[in-house]
Amino acid sequence: MAQHFYLPDLFALSTPFHSSTNPHYKDAAAESRAWINSYNVFTDRKRAFFIQGCNELLVSHTYPHAGYDEFRTICDFVNLLFVVDEVSDDQNGVDARKTGEVYLNAMRDPQWDDGSALCKMTKEFRTRLLRTSGPCSFRRFLQHSEDYINCVAKEAEYRERGEVLDMDSFRDLRRENSAIRLCFGLFEFSLGIDLPDEVFENPIFSSLYWAAADMVCWANDVYSYNMEQAKGHTGNNIVTVLMKAKGFDLQAASDCIGIYYAELMQRYVADKAQLPSFGSSIDSDVKRYVTAMENWPIGNLVWSFETNRYFGPRHAEVKRTRLVVLKPREHDNE
């Protein structure tokens, strides 16, 4: 077994995108962190992991355009997702679905209440979201929420069985259980726009959209692989899927991710140049959405090396050398 591998140089492949940060980060992040901590939902270990992840910093890099209230609301959502994800990570398929359905029921029905902290948190987020969210984007957001929870439960079932999916099946699962569609679904809320369904159904826009989403998913998987293998959670990761499907070793899988990321970026740039007109009243909103979408792939890369979440206290060194030394397997799965 390999004891180390080198990351692909995804920054060098991301020059069409430019990183930025949100000016409201410091104050709104503190508010959101205080909000989630007030529910006391984490064990000590999970709380430490939550703190080192700096979710709000990710939001600052991926929604640099958002106003104060919108930024705070998106921070709340990403923190809420962290709760759902971390709880379900240690659950079997049945229990993961039950956890997810608390979130879903609270998002669908403001009157529903099971008395749980997760329910109350979700309802508070929903109230903030609906202050300015348009009907089309909110309807899509609910659908993406349902797809996300279904795939999180499936992921737990595959983990129980030790099953690693084939490439196509994994791609479809990862696009949903990564929650990237939910995060992209908040662009309209953050911009004060409400795009019609015809935009998302357009094949060129759809290709552009999935290129950006897949860049985030593939980068996240190669960056998080070391952390996940230490926990014994490697099945839901493109690195493992590539090694099984292609017979790659760890380094070859990492190299393949770099090659595919470059292809995704080329496709994105080509699709952006060919976007059709949806009418003068819609085109400016589509342009703003596309600009917002570009913040996610580059913002995710920058954030990954600004915190201890994936690479620990040596994250700056890993960014410089791209060398990842595999951590020993954890035995305590508290």
Side-chain angles (χ1 to χ4, degrees):
M1 283 291 293
Q3 297 303 308
H4 69 270
F5 70 102
Y6 287 91
L7 298 169
D9 190 355
L10 302 183
F11 283 96
L13 301 173
S14 300
T15 51
F17 299 161
H18 304 287
S19 63
S20 187
T21 55
N22 193 294
H24 307 300
Y25 164 62
K26 186 177 178 182
D27 292 340
E31 279 187 23
S32 185
R33 180 154 301 203
W35 172 73
I36 199 127
N37 283 334
S38 71
Y39 284 98
N40 202 28
V41 291
F42 299 127
T43 63
D44 287 344
R45 183 179 176 186
K46 295 287 189 189
R47 184 177 294 106
F49 189 55
F50 170 69
I51 291 169
Q52 78 175 25
C54 296
N55 296 336
E56 303 91 354
L57 184 60
L58 173 63
V59 177
S60 180
H61 285 305
T62 51
Y63 303 87
H65 56 274
Y68 191 98
D69 287 343
E70 290 78 16
F71 180 78
R72 159 67 204 278
T73 301
I74 297 169
C75 284
D76 287 357
F77 177 68
V78 174
N79 283 332
L80 176 61
L81 271 188
F82 182 90
V83 174
V84 174
D85 191 48
E86 285 302 303
V87 170
S88 64
D89 251 3
D90 295 330
Q91 291 181 320
N92 60 33
V94 172
D95 290 341
R97 191 170 293 279
K98 286 178 183 174
T99 297
E101 291 200 343
V102 173
Y103 162 79
L104 273 182
N105 288 332
M107 279 299 296
R108 289 176 182 141
D109 180 4
Q111 304 305 316
W112 188 86
D113 193 350
D114 69 346
S116 68
L118 178 57
C119 173
K120 189 172 181 185
M121 290 160 61
T122 303
K123 289 170 78 167
E124 289 184 12
F125 160 71
R126 183 185 190 275
T127 297
R128 294 180 68 90
L129 179 67
L130 279 175
R131 285 179 191 170
T132 55
S133 187
C136 293
S137 60
F138 184 68
R139 175 176 44 74
R140 285 190 293 265
F141 190 84
L142 287 181
Q143 182 59 57
H144 295 332
S145 291
E146 186 174 324
D147 294 340
Y148 165 70
I149 293 304
N150 285 337
C151 286
V152 165
K154 285 180 187 174
E155 176 195 341
E157 292 165 8
Y158 297 139
R159 187 169 58 240
E160 270 184 281
R161 299 198 294 264
E163 183 175 347
V164 178
L165 297 177
D166 62 68
M167 291 285 294
D168 289 343
S169 299
F170 178 78
R171 182 202 64 185
D172 294 343
L173 178 81
R174 194 75 185 104
R175 284 173 167 180
E176 300 297 348
N177 74 1
S178 66
I180 193 61
R181 300 201 79 190
L182 287 167
C183 293
F184 280 19
L186 293 173
F187 290 142
E188 291 161 278
F189 164 73
S190 69
L191 294 166
I193 62 177
D194 193 33
L195 297 176
D197 288 343
E198 67 172 292
V199 173
F200 295 90
E201 292 163 0
N202 177 271
I204 296 176
F205 183 90
S206 178
S207 176
L208 177 85
Y209 175 101
W210 285 119
D214 287 346
M215 275 189 255
V216 176
C217 292
W218 284 60
N220 181 264
D221 277 12
V222 73
Y223 285 176
S224 65
Y225 178 80
N226 192 22
M227 176 187 78
E228 291 174 6
Q229 66 83 25
K231 292 180 176 181
H233 289 178
T234 56
N236 182 52
N237 191 296
I238 191 61
V239 175
T240 303
V241 173
L242 283 168
M243 287 195 287
K244 181 180 178 185
K246 307 282 190 183
F248 288 161
D249 62 16
L250 183 53
Q251 187 59 58
S254 177
D255 294 343
C256 179
I257 288 169
I259 293 166
Y260 188 58
Y261 190 98
E263 292 173 2
L264 290 170
M265 183 62 78
Q266 290 167 1
R267 192 178 99 204
Y268 183 94
V269 171
D271 288 338
K272 183 179 176 182
Q274 297 180 57
L275 272 177
S277 172
F278 298 93
S280 57
S281 61
I282 299 174
D283 285 349
S284 61
D285 288 348
V286 170
K287 185 176 181 181
R288 293 174 70 202
Y289 185 101
V290 169
T291 300
M293 190 159 56
E294 293 175 2
N295 290 310
W296 245 104
I298 187 63
N300 178 56
L301 299 187
V302 172
W303 166 77
S304 295
F305 291 100
E306 286 187 346
T307 79
N308 290 349
R309 180 174 173 88
Y310 297 140
F311 304 112
R314 300 175 62 189
H315 51 82
E317 180 185 345
V318 174
K319 182 180 182 182
R320 179 176 57 82
T321 64
R322 305 204 314 274
L323 174 63
V324 176
V325 178
L326 294 189
K327 295 161 60 174
R329 183 69 62 87
E330 297 173 10
H331 297 293
D332 176 15
N333 284 322
E334 177 196 347

